[in-house]
Amino acid sequence: MTDIIHLLPDSVANQIAAGEVIQRPASAVKELIENAVDAGSSVIKLFVKEAGKQLIQVIDNGKGMSETDARLSFERHATSKIQKADDLFAIKTKGFRGEALASIAAIAQVELKTKRPSDEVGTQILIEGSEVQSQQPCSTPVGTSIAIKNLFYNVPARRNFLKSNSVETSHIIDEFQRVALAHADIEFSFNHNGADIFNLPKSNLRQRIVNVFGATFNQRIVPVEEETFIVKITGFIGKPEYAKKTRGEQFFFVNNRFIRNAYLHHAIQSAYEQLLPRETHPSYFLFLEVDPKSIDINIHPTKTEIKFEDEKAIYAILRSATKKSLGQHNISPTIDFEQEASISLDGPPANKIIEEPKIRVNPHYNPFKSQTTFENSRDFNGPSLKQKSNLQNWDKLYETHVNSPAAATFTLDESPKQEIINPQWENDFSEVSKSLCYQLHNRYILSHIKTGFIIVDQQSAHERILYEKFIQFLQHHRSGSQQLLFPETVEFTASDSALVMAMLHELNDLGFAIEEFGKNTFVVHGIPPLLKEVDSKVTLERILEEFKKNQSELKLNTGENLARSMAFNAAVKSGKSLSGEEMKNIIDELFACSQPYASPSGRPTLTTFSLDDLERRFKK
Ligand code: ADP
Ligand code: MG
């Protein structure tokens, strides 16, 4: 037999390798900006078109490259940053693998222009799918400009895999912010589709944080400082009263490199113990400096994870430094300084990985999937919001009942099986409509149905009702808007305002009358009548928070996500006392929904008990 193994051509090998390094436009942005930082630039400009799908360009004023280096920079494992294996343990630059440019060139059309301060003329290279198209002298300022066009143009599968522009843009903003925060002494700008998103002059860290996240941050943060022989910690932490529902602004940098580390995160979180309302997260911007020999940054291709030699000690120091800062700034007067200042090294065991509990939600979960009547369950054109579908839905309610007599608890991974339908149940709707409702513990609505009783979770049910209404508004591109007497101007952080821009249509379809009004500012003329909140900024901020949370956890399209976030915000909450009328409305409207049985995030909305269930319980 003939031999069958052969070496892949470079272009194919590079494409495969590229998958590791460049997953999306944001990864290319990160690599280019980091290269600019490594080149000693003092000004770095980022230009992006169509969320990076069309263009990503980084222009720097760094040291530039020679003609030969320019050509070599696109070779795999070509780097000026390390020379021998030992260097891996003393890394001071962002890059060191020499893979980024080779990867990018394998999957895009790239134009590089570069000139060193000592050169008369610069050099220009055009490269496409790893093939150099041309290299020639050119006139260009000192520094480097790299333009990446049509990312993944030759890997359609990857291109199709990219998310909507708003999602990809927010990933780019994340990467940009990380590098910008790590290098306050460098001037950065970011322009998307011709609009300036960030203009960050050279400054100190506090000013940089404020420039990135908005003026309100100035009063929200307090400094942290601690120096020990193992680690030096500097930076800022958020005051507890500004903690957020989402883990938005949490940044660790180790030797100026952004990292994630659940273990160290836990150190911070635990320092805030008792100071935070439940399920809120503090902001932090913390810089750890350690001996490069004591960390291994070589364990992950995209390099956001690193291993520490002294993780346990760093945990304790970090926790104590955070506590100290909270105490010093009179945020937690009860802290005992003496005790806190003497660092105890018994944090959690060093090799224990602390993982945040995660809630997994299946957005497509439908407990009745197997039922034929639910075939169009994702098609919201169906029932008009009141009447007609009521009976049909009561049918379905009956089905729940017969399917799960054992208290009708919903098991998320099992859809009930179809059974015979008892036509008598159809009458139950009129019955429940007429019957009185009782509220239990300001949380559940109890009502009588012909063959037993029903308990509705008021919050989940209302979320479901609002969600379906919002989805309808989106589909018909209209909903009423309640005009504000005095239009309000609302300012967002740059990244939030990019999000708002990307969802402006949907917001207006949903009943906001909102328009852009210059830099990061919007005018709100009206709000959806279903949102009772009067402060439109607070309302919008809450919706955005929820939206971002959904965005990171679930893969929803913008409209669905917004509808969900708005429903979540506007729904009556557990704990609210309801009038008889309000309870009846909830029940009526719930059964007019196309999927009445679960909230948009999959929590059950109701459960039924039959007389049989009751009888059984009272048997001797
Ligand atoms: P790495 O950054 O890991 O070395 P890259 O593929 O990102 O690998 O870059 C390869 C080489 O190209 C770098 O080591 C550097 O010498 C050179 N280079 C890349 N970008 C720039 C830039 N903006 N300015 C100067 N040199 C650069
Ligand atoms: Mg690099």
Side-chain angles (χ1 to χ4, degrees), residues 55 85 160 277 518:
L55 173 79
N160 295 337

Side-chain angles (χ1 to χ4, degrees), residues 431-442:
E431 182 110 357
V432 75
S433 219
K434 273 184 275 151
S435 88
L436 275 177
C437 298
Y438 303 90
Q439 197 181 17
L440 299 174
H441 297 279
N442 286 346

Side-chain angles (χ1 to χ4, degrees), residues 527-542:
I527 57 167
L530 287 168
L531 301 187
K532 278 161 254 93
E533 196 98 41
V534 276
D535 184 338
S536 49
K537 178 167 168 70
V538 173
T539 310
L540 279 165
E541 270 183 350
R542 289 208 187 123

Side-chain angles (χ1 to χ4, degrees), residues 137-401:
C138 74
S139 103
T140 184
V142 169
T144 303
S145 152
I146 302 192
I148 304 178
K149 292 174 193 155
N150 304 318
L151 196 68
F152 301 126
Y153 79 103
N154 54 352
V155 203
R158 298 221 73 143
R159 203 170 161 93
N160 295 337
F161 177 76
L162 294 179
K163 297 276 174 321
S164 68
N165 282 3
S166 67
V167 172
E168 294 302 340
T169 306
S170 81
H171 284 295
I172 293 177
I173 290 173
D174 284 348
E175 294 292 357
F176 177 86
Q177 286 178 342
R178 289 168 191 165
V179 191
L181 285 170
H183 299 277
D185 56 338
I186 299 178
E187 175 182 330
F188 284 95
S189 66
F190 175 7
N191 179 295
H192 188 212
N193 291 337
D196 280 342
I197 296 194
F198 292 97
N199 265 316
L200 310 173
K202 171 179 160 66
S203 62
N204 60 25
L205 177 61
R206 183 185 270 274
Q207 195 56 44
R208 177 59 51 97
I209 294 172
V210 167
N211 287 338
V212 171
F213 294 107
T216 51
F217 267 79
N218 202 17
Q219 80 214 35
R220 293 189 186 187
I221 52 176
V222 293
V224 179
E225 258 165 66
E226 187 70 74
E227 190 161 2
T228 69
F229 63 97
I230 301 176
V231 58
K232 180 178 169 200
I233 300 171
T234 53
F236 294 88
I237 55 174
K239 296 181 188 166
E241 65 261 38
Y242 295 106
K244 289 190 172 182
K245 279 254 167 63
T246 48
R247 298 175 48 176
E249 289 82 31
Q250 300 186 331
F251 298 88
F252 276 127
F253 300 90
V254 174
N255 295 354
N256 264 7
R257 181 189 299 277
F258 171 81
I259 60 141
R260 293 171 215 278
N261 189 309
Y263 182 69
L264 295 187
H265 170 77
H266 185 267
I268 309 276
Q269 195 85 26
S270 77
Y272 276 86
E273 231 166 31
Q274 320 267 321
L275 295 175
L276 292 180
R278 273 189 53 183
E279 288 176 24
T280 60
H281 305 274
S283 307
Y284 53 82
F285 310 86
L286 290 171
F287 290 73
L288 279 58
E289 273 170 59
V290 296
D291 181 349
K293 283 195 211 70
S294 74
I295 51 174
D296 181 0
I297 44 184
N298 202 15
I299 57 174
H300 195 267
T302 48
K303 299 170 279 185
T304 53
E305 286 160 27
I306 62 172
K307 258 205 189 93
F308 294 90
E309 209 173 81
D310 308 305
E311 199 166 48
K312 198 174 159 189
I314 293 177
Y315 180 102
I317 297 166
L318 193 58
R319 180 167 184 273
S320 131
T322 308
K323 281 200 158 192
K324 193 166 103 187
S325 160
L326 289 171
Q328 268 173 352
H329 296 276
N330 280 334
I331 297 165
S332 73
T334 52
I335 284 177
D336 176 352
F337 268 112
E338 292 316 308
Q339 194 200 330
E340 280 311 318
S342 63
I343 293 153
S344 90
L345 290 189
D346 42 61
N351 48 6
K352 189 171 166 218
I353 297 159
I354 294 172
E355 273 192 336
E356 297 253 315
K358 283 211 184 75
I359 300 169
R360 271 171 221 270
V361 176
N362 172 3
H364 303 305
Y365 162 66
N366 168 0
F368 302 93
K369 219 172 189 159
S370 60
Q371 293 171 10
T372 44
T373 44
F374 257 95
E375 237 156 33
N376 291 334
S377 58
R378 291 188 61 74
D379 172 2
F380 292 98
N381 292 322
S384 81
L385 277 179
K386 277 250 163 180
Q387 321 122 11
K388 88 178 187 221
S389 62
N390 285 330
L391 280 182
Q392 174 201 345
N393 284 327
W394 275 92
D395 251 21
K396 291 172 215 155
L397 171 59
Y398 167 65
E399 291 165 19
T400 9
H401 166 72

